[in-house]
Amino acid sequence: FPTRRSSDLDDIRVYTMHSFCDMWRKQYVAKLGLTGFTLLTEEQSLAMMKRSVKLAYKMLKLPVDGDLSGKNLLSFYVLCKESCKCPGEMQDTDKFRSLGAGINVIEKCFERYEVAKKTKKTYDYCDMLVRFYGLSVQMKRY
């Protein structure tokens, strides 16, 4: 084996997917449509999803079901977004069935969550990953 100098390894960088996308987000913030937006913490995302659940039930004129966990719903939201699928396409998954809510409720919760993020000029890690993916596909075309 050839001998390597320590300086050969100085340029190696290791990232998580999120930190890698965040590095590019900083460089392409305008192209990603995130100018003036702030990243939500996990706690903020969860609180926003819980509020979205309450609002969705109210808008659908349904009694609030205490069994629909904001945490489980947020987990399902992440699965949908990272799979690039809508909730209707994910109805056959165990994660969907474990929620114990109808598709109309789930879709309304997601809709309210998206509206809340846009209104508050915030985004979550899923938004960053999906937008980064979209940007990379767009850049490959050129």
Side-chain angles (χ1 to χ4, degrees), residues 46-79:
L46 182 55
M48 195 176 283
M49 184 60 81
K50 286 178 180 179
R51 285 191 299 276
S52 297
V53 169
K54 290 178 184 176
L55 186 55
Y57 274 102
K58 184 176 180 180
M59 292 177 80
L60 293 170
K61 296 179 171 62
L62 296 171
V64 177
D65 183 357
D67 290 341
L68 185 56
S69 158
K71 186 175 182 178
N72 291 342
L73 188 58
L74 189 57
S75 177
F76 182 65
Y77 171 84
V78 169
L79 175 65

Side-chain angles (χ1 to χ4, degrees), residues 5-137:
R5 294 171 288 149
S6 64
S7 62
D8 292 341
L9 302 177
D10 290 343
D11 290 334
I12 294 174
R13 296 183 184 144
V14 178
Y15 296 97
T16 64
M17 186 60 181
H18 290 113
S19 64
F20 177 75
C21 290
D22 194 45
M23 176 192 71
W24 285 102
R25 178 203 52 85
K26 291 172 185 169
Q27 189 169 354
Y28 293 99
V29 68
K31 286 186 179 186
L32 291 169
L34 296 173
T35 304
F37 282 67
T38 56
L39 179 63
L40 290 166
T41 65
E42 257 185 74
E43 294 80 25
Q44 291 169 323
S45 293
L46 182 55
M48 195 176 283
M49 184 60 81
K50 286 178 180 179
R51 285 191 299 276
S52 297
V53 169
K54 290 178 184 176
L55 186 55
Y57 274 102
K58 184 176 180 180
M59 292 177 80
L60 293 170
K61 296 179 171 62
L62 296 171
V64 177
D65 183 357
D67 290 341
L68 185 56
S69 158
K71 186 175 182 178
N72 291 342
L73 188 58
L74 189 57
S75 177
F76 182 65
Y77 171 84
V78 169
L79 175 65
C80 290
K81 290 281 279 202
E82 290 182 353
S83 301
C84 297
K85 294 185 178 185
C86 67
E89 295 174 295
M90 303 293 281
Q91 289 184 77
D92 292 333
T93 65
D94 289 338
K95 234 182 204 349
F96 176 84
R97 285 190 288 273
S98 72
L99 294 172
I103 190 67
N104 61 329
V105 173
I106 304 300
E107 287 174 340
K108 185 59 80 175
C109 291
F110 286 7
E111 173 191 306
R112 298 319 317 158
Y113 182 68
E114 292 290 337
V115 167
K117 288 190 298 181
K118 187 175 182 178
T119 301
K120 294 177 186 260
K121 294 194 78 155
T122 57
Y123 65 98
D124 58 22
Y125 275 109
C126 284
D127 294 322
M128 184 172 57
L129 294 175
V130 169
R131 288 178 188 219
F132 179 75
Y133 173 74
L135 179 63
S136 67
V137 168

